[in-house]
Amino acid sequence: MKLLHGGDYNPEQWLDRPDILVEDMRLMKEARINTVTLGVFSWSSYEPEEGHYQFEWLDEIIDTLYKNGIYTILATPSGGRPAWLDEAYPEVLRVSDMGVRNLHGVRHNHCMSSPRYREKVRGINNKLAHRYGGHPGLLMWHISNELGGACYCDLCKKKFQEFLKDKYDHNIDLLNKEWWTTFWSHQFNRFEQIDPPSPRGEGSITGLKLDWKRFTSWNMTDYMKSEILVFKALTPKIPVTTNFMCLYPGLNYYELAEALDVVAWDNYPKWHNEDQKIWETAFENAFDHAVMRSLKKGKPYLLMESVPSQVNWHPYNKLKRPGIHRLSCLQAVACGSDSVLYFQWRKSRGSYEQYHGAVIDHLGSSDTRVFKEVEEVGRLLTQLDEICGTVVKSKVAMYFDWENRWAIEDMPALSNEKKYPETCRLYYKSFLRMGIDMDIVSCQESLDNYQIVIAPMLYLLKPSTAEHIKKFVKNGGTLLATYLTGYVNENTLCYLGGFPGDGLREVFGLYSEEIDVLYPRDHNSVRFVVDNFLKGSYRVKEYCELLKTESAKILAVYAQDFYEGTPAITVNSYGKGKAYYVGARLDEVGMSEIFKKVCSEVGVLVVDLPEGVQMHKRTDGVFEYKFYLNAAVKEQVIPIGVTETVMFASDTLSTRADAESSQQWVLKPNHCLICKSRL
Amino acid sequence: MKLLHGGDYNPEQWLDRPDILVEDMRLMKEARINTVTLGVFSWSSYEPEEGHYQFEWLDEIIDTLYKNGIYTILATPSGGRPAWLDEAYPEVLRVSDMGVRNLHGVRHNHCMSSPRYREKVRGINNKLAHRYGGHPGLLMWHISNELGGACYCDLCKKKFQEFLKDKYDHNIDLLNKEWWTTFWSHQFNRFEQIDPPSPRGEGSITGLKLDWKRFTSWNMTDYMKSEILVFKALTPKIPVTTNFMCLYPGLNYYELAEALDVVAWDNYPKWHNEDQKIWETAFENAFDHAVMRSLKKGKPYLLMESVPSQVNWHPYNKLKRPGIHRLSCLQAVACGSDSVLYFQWRKSRGSYEQYHGAVIDHLGSSDTRVFKEVEEVGRLLTQLDEICGTVVKSKVAMYFDWENRWAIEDMPALSNEKKYPETCRLYYKSFLRMGIDMDIVSCQESLDNYQIVIAPMLYLLKPSTAEHIKKFVKNGGTLLATYLTGYVNENTLCYLGGFPGDGLREVFGLYSEEIDVLYPRDHNSVRFVVDNFLKGSYRVKEYCELLKTESAKILAVYAQDFYEGTPAITVNSYGKGKAYYVGARLDEVGMSEIFKKVCSEVGVLVVDLPEGVQMHKRTDGVFEYKFYLNAAVKEQVIPIGVTETVMFASDTLSTRADAESSQQWVLKPNHCLICKSRL
Amino acid sequence: MKLLHGGDYNPEQWLDRPDILVEDMRLMKEARINTVTLGVFSWSSYEPEEGHYQFEWLDEIIDTLYKNGIYTILATPSGGRPAWLDEAYPEVLRVSDMGVRNLHGVRHNHCMSSPRYREKVRGINNKLAHRYGGHPGLLMWHISNELGGACYCDLCKKKFQEFLKDKYDHNIDLLNKEWWTTFWSHQFNRFEQIDPPSPRGEGSITGLKLDWKRFTSWNMTDYMKSEILVFKALTPKIPVTTNFMCLYPGLNYYELAEALDVVAWDNYPKWHNEDQKIWETAFENAFDHAVMRSLKKGKPYLLMESVPSQVNWHPYNKLKRPGIHRLSCLQAVACGSDSVLYFQWRKSRGSYEQYHGAVIDHLGSSDTRVFKEVEEVGRLLTQLDEICGTVVKSKVAMYFDWENRWAIEDMPALSNEKKYPETCRLYYKSFLRMGIDMDIVSCQESLDNYQIVIAPMLYLLKPSTAEHIKKFVKNGGTLLATYLTGYVNENTLCYLGGFPGDGLREVFGLYSEEIDVLYPRDHNSVRFVVDNFLKGSYRVKEYCELLKTESAKILAVYAQDFYEGTPAITVNSYGKGKAYYVGARLDEVGMSEIFKKVCSEVGVLVVDLPEGVQMHKRTDGVFEYKFYLNAAVKEQVIPIGVTETVMFASDTLSTRADAESSQQWVLKPNHCLICKSRL
């Protein structure tokens, strides 16, 4: 097994330049490319007119690649429809939420429900499966590209109504109750009366909006499965993937991931932006990796797209500074990726992405800074083959859930500063700074394998969520939740009898009577009031819940305003475990201190890492591989355990510190060190 | 007579929870609720399918309430249409200004012109009138809810054309002249060629835009009257109201108010926002009360909706701090309201307003801060029954007029900083700080009963406006007008021969030759130049008119720029009265000084109130009730006249100051004191 | 020959006020008006119902004007359609890019392709030509008004497809290649599949977007020619013009100008804005004059619209301060205009432009500041008749090109700070401060007559551009280009083999390997490194190209970041000439120093003008007229050559300085001095 190195390759754009295709092969070998993705958006090249196919060019490319030791991930071409297809079957085009059907153009512009589109896609996929399914160079199927968006056509509306019938047992009264439609006289008599949410129609029923997002996610998964079906039937041994877009808000990736063999994603951080230090960007990016990795429970995933230097679509497309490419590629591997793949191999001459970064520029030469950095990564990756297939496991988990996110975003209340993903990201960062690379869990998952679970803003409770939590704490787990916990059920009906609902009031030993919302320039603070916890005060912004404790013990109180002295942070013993409740939005410093204290109470090891250094672990069950990445702008000293061996350092000039016994390594900026130890 | 205390009650949302309905009754009595509003948005609950009615639940609720001493304001359900209605008669749905018909959903989404909708509403109103018109618990009819918006369907277009025919004597040439359509070749040959203004059509003819707003206001009134007709026929003794939305820009409330027996409105100030002190919010809110009160010439009105703590739709929904609820409720009474009503009694479990504040939270308990504050207000209101029915009268009035506002907003000129309502609000505040709670008048009203009239930015003159002004000043009144006075006639045709037009040039003894518009960072100042007026300089922003005086006397001149030394503020004797002209936009300090000086010259009493304290007066013709409200954050000393009796203090711990003779009372923050004296 | 003084006159708005028309004539003479523009938007007044004409009013007006010595520029009325026309032929109305047809209203709202509209316009133009073509008072035809906008109807779509067929030799494969449609599977099979770009369709193909803009410009020109045709047939001796809108982005004015006899434009600078000094506004405005003048290679053009004081459509419509009107009018003449014309003579009483400035206000009097300033300008212009017909020529030229601008704007890359026009404006300003009023050239022009050519951001190369440049430098010219030079061909296909492409790599002796994009708060700097050029460092923002020099000599290197020490500014000898390359976006100071140095090397005379003073030259081939304009707020000393004669000074009080021999004149603010000398 090898770590994959390569990326998107579009030879169909250069068929009239055979010299360039020959040069591509030479340069790929120079850059140590072992894998390419072919066929993304190639439908017009396969089937230039309906029913007229031309695959010979692809035959030759795949063969040549294979002969040169390069494997192919073959994409289905459904992301972009040929002009003839839209012309002949306009019903495959998407309809906007204003009810207007799109024209031919751009990409991701098809109705996921359209039987016609599914039929046409099945047809071309069948061709691909038959022709290339047995090719020894074929590594994987890649379904479409960056699936996303929504369609509001009549077909989708009808399918949405069917989805609702299934969900609500064909019982319109049940839907009316869960959507609380008596409000504003919104009761429906029949499912057929229900339209998707629209700026020119309904936009106020939170249950409808949430179910529409669920439907869109379900329908996209259903569409994706319809593509996968062809391959599972004809080439059952070839794994199937698609490329996710990080925290893309429109799809529940937990749902899509179940239908895939391998998770893959596209990663384009804004390096060197003016609001963050480089290491902060790197830490932020680690959270995205963690979410993607967790979709398949720590199994290796693929970095499907990344860029050697600048992209073309950020507001400011700054060059990646020297070494950042190495840092980000090795970070991917450290976080659990078995690949470093780029969009793209060679820049297009024209159209929308002609300036999207690539290994080969319009210049066409390997004598460029960018090429050399790619070549270096290719070389380094060949030293890491034993990492391939290893997994990531943590004793600490954090909830991050799309349904909860949607419910919070559409919550008609509180403030403009909702910041659910930002809050999760911040908490993840605090843990990573302590050397803990948390697992991410959805609202439906069991928490059995964790010692600590963090639940930021767990606003919506799925039927199983409270059960999992109660079981987890009862059995000795430590839970930390925050303001906005347990307000609504899965259809956004508020719990009666006090938040947090569904039995969590007992777990935390309190209820939240009110929630104060601060203006952006307002603030408050919390003051710790018990001996054996933290000292001092920490700043609070935006949200302050006014808590009524029952069995909970008060750890901190508010320091200002009319609720000065009332509980802000509490802990409650429940079964063998403990449940912390942080009622206010503390800043990063405050939350970090709390997390550190909680870890130390539970006995989870906290590592004192220098600023900018992140540590990740992968394991094959026998060995543990610790990755240290230095994203600071200066050298940092890394303390290595005496039982550990340094198996890899990206810069061979890294030097040991004086004291041999303590194994202190000096890690240069943008470099990586891997230690190996037996578990 | 009693002051009403209560609010919106939606038992139809809880029909499957009889325990909650029982608990509601118990808690209402605990909170001293004596009135509820039922039936807002209840159409689906009355008529779940077309022609199938179910009123039994409402029968029982009204009976039970009445048995418990609680009266009902019964709303018509037209604010929200049942799904079956929109499904069966899609023509009742509104059409946007882009010509797209809405889908079923949200609220306030019907065509006001639709004969079908009027018929269906008449039908359900008839049922209500017949069934509940004679119920002893019925207090008032409440028409629809927060009427607003506009429709651009073909029916409305046709009706608009008819409206124009009536207005312009079926003479298209007259319309062409008043709209000045020769400009840009816009002459119409027939009324049938005229479309409503639209982003995809006409948006440049100011006369058209103004007439369209007038039409929409007229049509909404016409629609409202079609609802009222049913009740006037069947229950002539039951008064009719609807709930206004403060300074809502889309409707001329003077026009709607005429069709109602009682004015009511919904009041949701942004308490504790980060741009104002609390008392500033309170003063701002007093202006809204004054506008609403003045719609019926000082007669008692109803506060129909307010919130005990936070709403759900502000950008930041902060909790009302302790005492603010009391302050704002007593302020409503002080300003002329005979009620304190809330939206809502109990929070909905779901949908768009599930987090809108209420007396009873999802928690369901009366053991909450919010409930206790409501209960306190209920208790205090029972001590104020003699206030009920008293009225408000002032010797000072200020113009605030929707037609003028529309004309200014659509004036294609000057600057982005138009600020007409803001300017009126600021002037009102200056007077209130001097203990003068001005009446508000429309452009068509007689000014006979006033000593001073303030005319901010009186840009548009209705045919009667200048007549009223001339008569007022001639007879000895004091008028103060500003820049932008008398530029256009009622159809936005500019007056020729110098602004202010329609004879006002003579009243003020000047004309305005030019108007300079300053950039936001620019400023100028005015310097007073006569002995017997003010001294010193005051800052000016945004507008400076360059005046040519004729008979006017110059009080102040500009201190900077090329028009340094030219007149900025003047006064002119006209008949027995005086007309002041303030040609520039002075800041609050400058205007306050001018107002104070003008009052003292006229002999209108100015009270020296401490910062944050406002005073209002109500009277029954025999006694005068002076309300003092302290919205400052500290105690303030209130000087009480020796002939006055303190009849009420919201906090019984308020203490007299030492000097008994001078009757100085110390008023705590957020508290209210009422003095009574014989007129 | 006389300089024209006058402006738009709309007597049709006052036909019911003959007294006002008489007064107009009197006041025009008082203001020394010699020319008016009639008939803009007068269609309804000519043809109130289809086929019913009334020209008598116009007959009388033109006659009366002529008798009073005032000439007429007669406009065609196509800018605004009568209501009956839109009612009878809705197909003449424009369709938006969302596919929605407009309603009747506003102006510039017709489909340029509509045969029906062209027929109706031809009809009315025929009437005008026949009736007035021989009138001795007729000076010029003025086609429509401020042509602009685009239409997306089916007719336009079809015409666009025909345009593409012509351009791409009816070869869809050629189009596919140039638009690089293999990307995203965008290959077209037939021209008929191509839609205009649309938010609901294609918006990603840069070649399509550019060709659509070209088509719109071509189609507008084609439409304009269809209007002109009538006049060229019937009145071949009457020149034809239309009024351009400065740097209006939607039309390639080089293309339109070819179809006109005389260029005219509308000029509305934001005097006294809060971000600029007055002289900066004046310098900025000079660039606009230079662009307009260069459309006809320095021949006299007309200032068709300007305003005596404030307009109505700026965000803040500040009054022009005293003297600024004189300054701006004389600046127009200095820059090459043979006219000073206003929009408008008399303010409309109503509708959208009722507050747009005019010579005569609603007041109706000549006793106003504005009238007097106009009258002064009228008086001054009569002293400048010998200037009339003189031309402007420069030895220095700068590229400013609409196609390049469109390509840069739609370039899907780099940063939000594209600033192509802003950059050109800044460079022009730097030269003007040195007394050099550059010519402006399009990408297709020969550079034969210049010594220095500046090429800012010459991103797109038309087929002839590189040829012209190579010839120019080979023959001894000095070229200065910047970052972003030569990236794409005329259809936005990137050049392969290194930027700048199409052979320019050899001209500059370098290629650009990467381009770094800085965030707004980032910066870098360049440091000069050769002895015989500049010294020191200059600040850099936004763009830094990383250059690889071949034959070029390095003048400056980057001073910071990872490319510190690498070339930033270079010069290359090529043939007899030199090619400078400025790889980074230097600030104004830096660029000014470079320009000054380059001028001095080439031997182009640089004048040391005081801040705020601009100098322009006009010539009749025998004499040279040098205009000095002082836009500073203080007096400035102007050094006059001993061989020069002061022929005009707008203020007769201008005084000579002491030293007679050196001819130093003291020029007051907002005044103008003209020196005459034999060439």
Side-chain angles (χ1 to χ4, degrees), chain A residues 438-560:
Chain A
M438 291 195 283
D439 284 356
I440 305 300
V441 291
S442 81
C443 278
Q444 283 148 290
E445 287 180 50
S446 157
L447 308 172
D448 286 354
N449 296 317
Y450 298 107
Q451 287 181 275
I452 299 177
V453 171
I454 308 298
M457 303 169 71
L458 192 58
Y459 172 71
L460 172 142
L461 301 180
K462 300 272 288 187
S464 60
T465 315
E467 285 317 306
H468 285 306
I469 286 175
K470 282 184 253 183
K471 184 177 166 214
F472 168 70
V473 184
K474 250 184 201 146
N475 290 342
T478 293
L479 178 74
L480 184 148
T482 73
Y483 55 91
L484 274 184
T485 295
Y487 279 37
V488 297
N489 78 2
E490 66 172 334
N491 296 317
T492 70
L493 275 192
C494 280
Y495 288 105
L496 299 181
F499 306 148
D502 205 15
L504 295 184
R505 176 170 171 174
E506 193 190 347
V507 174
F508 294 101
L510 55 71
Y511 66 91
S512 162
E513 187 184 315
E514 300 184 69
I515 179 162
D516 196 20
V517 175
L518 305 185
Y519 277 80
R521 295 201 300 270
D522 290 337
H523 72 272
N524 201 325
S525 56
V526 297
R527 185 163 43 82
F528 284 91
V529 292
V530 290
D531 281 344
N532 57 351
F533 207 75
L534 300 172
K535 302 280 174 226
S537 287
Y538 294 93
R539 195 177 173 82
V540 163
K541 298 274 290 177
E542 297 161 357
Y543 297 110
C544 297
E545 275 189 345
L546 277 58
L547 305 175
K548 288 285 169 75
T549 51
E550 292 168 323
S551 57
K553 179 178 166 189
I554 299 168
L555 298 177
V557 298
Y558 289 106
Q560 287 153 58

Side-chain angles (χ1 to χ4, degrees), chain B residues 62 95 117 193 207 225 237 278 280 286 289 308 315 328 416 475 484 486 524 539 585 598 609 622:
Chain B
I62 295 184
V95 169
Y117 194 60
Q193 288 169 338
K225 284 177 180 172
K237 293 191 179 155
I278 295 169
E280 290 175 317
H289 277 291
S328 61
N416 290 342
N475 291 342
L484 275 183
N524 201 324
R539 196 179 173 81
R585 183 170 278 178
V598 169
L609 293 167
V622 181

Side-chain angles (χ1 to χ4, degrees), chain B residues 453-474:
Chain B
V453 170
I454 308 297
M457 302 168 72
L458 192 57
Y459 171 71
L460 174 143
L461 300 180
K462 300 272 288 188
S464 59
T465 315
E467 285 318 305
H468 285 306
I469 286 176
K470 282 184 255 181
K471 184 177 166 215
F472 168 70
V473 185
K474 253 184 200 145

Side-chain angles (χ1 to χ4, degrees), chain B residues 324-454:
Chain B
I324 294 299
H325 183 58
R326 177 183 58 236
L327 179 79
S328 61
C329 292
L330 292 174
Q331 183 186 12
V333 176
C335 288
S337 172
D338 272 5
S339 75
V340 170
L341 299 170
Y342 311 121
F343 181 84
Q344 51 191 340
W345 168 252
R346 180 184 283 276
K347 281 185 181 169
S348 305
R349 277 195 73 187
S351 207
Y352 188 70
E353 294 184 338
Q354 66 188 133
Y355 296 109
H356 193 294
V359 182
I360 304 298
D361 205 335
H362 299 113
L363 180 63
S365 157
S366 63
D367 182 21
T368 64
R369 183 181 74 92
V370 166
F371 187 91
K372 286 168 196 157
E373 298 217 19
V374 167
E375 189 276 336
E376 182 201 359
V377 166
R379 189 166 42 75
L380 293 174
L381 290 179
T382 60
Q383 303 169 34
L384 297 177
D385 286 342
E386 71 175 287
I387 301 298
C388 201
T390 58
V391 301
V392 177
K393 289 181 176 178
S394 181
K395 301 311 284 176
V396 183
M398 177 170 70
Y399 282 109
F400 176 78
D401 187 279
W402 268 265
E403 299 201 6
N404 187 43
R405 178 185 191 181
W406 294 334
I408 290 173
E409 277 310 310
D410 284 337
M411 170 175 53
L414 297 185
S415 104
N416 290 342
E417 314 295 332
K418 292 183 168 170
K419 301 184 182 165
Y420 171 62
E422 293 81 351
T423 301
C424 295
R425 197 183 285 288
L426 201 72
Y427 291 3
Y428 176 86
K429 181 183 168 195
S430 290
F431 274 90
L432 192 59
R433 294 196 68 176
M434 302 188 292
I436 298 166
D437 183 3
M438 292 195 282
D439 284 355
I440 305 300
V441 291
S442 81
C443 278
Q444 284 147 290
E445 287 180 52
S446 156
L447 309 173
D448 286 355
N449 296 317
Y450 299 105
Q451 289 182 274
I452 300 177
V453 170
I454 308 297

Side-chain angles (χ1 to χ4, degrees), chain A residues 510-620:
Chain A
L510 55 71
Y511 66 91
S512 162
E513 187 184 315
E514 300 184 69
I515 179 162
D516 196 20
V517 175
L518 305 185
Y519 277 80
R521 295 201 300 270
D522 290 337
H523 72 272
N524 201 325
S525 56
V526 297
R527 185 163 43 82
F528 284 91
V529 292
V530 290
D531 281 344
N532 57 351
F533 207 75
L534 300 172
K535 302 280 174 226
S537 287
Y538 294 93
R539 195 177 173 82
V540 163
K541 298 274 290 177
E542 297 161 357
Y543 297 110
C544 297
E545 275 189 345
L546 277 58
L547 305 175
K548 288 285 169 75
T549 51
E550 292 168 323
S551 57
K553 179 178 166 189
I554 299 168
L555 298 177
V557 298
Y558 289 106
Q560 287 153 58
D561 221 318
F562 76 90
Y563 40 91
E564 181 186 340
T566 69
I569 304 175
T570 65
V571 65
N572 192 47
S573 292
Y574 181 82
K576 301 182 197 156
K578 282 185 169 179
Y580 289 87
Y581 196 90
V582 180
R585 183 171 279 180
L586 271 73
D587 66 7
E588 187 176 355
V589 175
M591 289 311 296
S592 292
E593 290 300 316
I594 292 169
F595 292 143
K596 196 179 290 180
K597 179 70 183 168
V598 168
C599 285
S600 87
E601 297 226 333
V602 175
V604 167
L605 182 72
V606 168
V607 184
D608 191 18
L609 293 166
E611 185 180 273
V613 174
Q614 54 186 275
M615 185 184 84
H616 301 272
K617 296 176 192 168
R618 295 183 68 164
T619 180
D620 60 1

Side-chain angles (χ1 to χ4, degrees), chain A residues 53-66:
Chain A
Y53 299 97
Q54 53 183 29
F55 287 109
E56 295 72 16
W57 64 271
L58 185 60
D59 298 349
E60 193 180 329
I61 292 288
I62 295 184
D63 286 348
T64 309
L65 286 163
Y66 183 61

Side-chain angles (χ1 to χ4, degrees), chain C residues 46-112:
Chain C
Y46 297 154
E47 192 179 1
E49 289 272 10
E50 185 165 16
H52 295 79
Y53 299 96
Q54 51 184 31
F55 286 108
E56 296 72 15
W57 65 271
L58 185 60
D59 299 347
E60 193 181 330
I61 293 286
I62 295 183
D63 286 347
T64 309
L65 286 163
Y66 183 62
K67 281 175 207 151
N68 283 277
I70 300 171
Y71 286 83
T72 291
I73 297 172
L74 189 55
T76 70
S78 59
R81 299 154 328 290
W84 58 257
L85 200 157
D86 288 350
E87 187 184 34
Y89 312 103
E91 75 267 28
V92 307
L93 288 161
R94 238 169 239 187
V95 169
S96 78
D97 60 0
M98 283 301 284
V100 181
R101 191 171 296 276
N102 283 354
L103 301 175
H104 173 67
V106 298
R107 52 177 188 168
H108 308 308
N109 186 10
H110 58 270
C111 168
M112 293 84 77

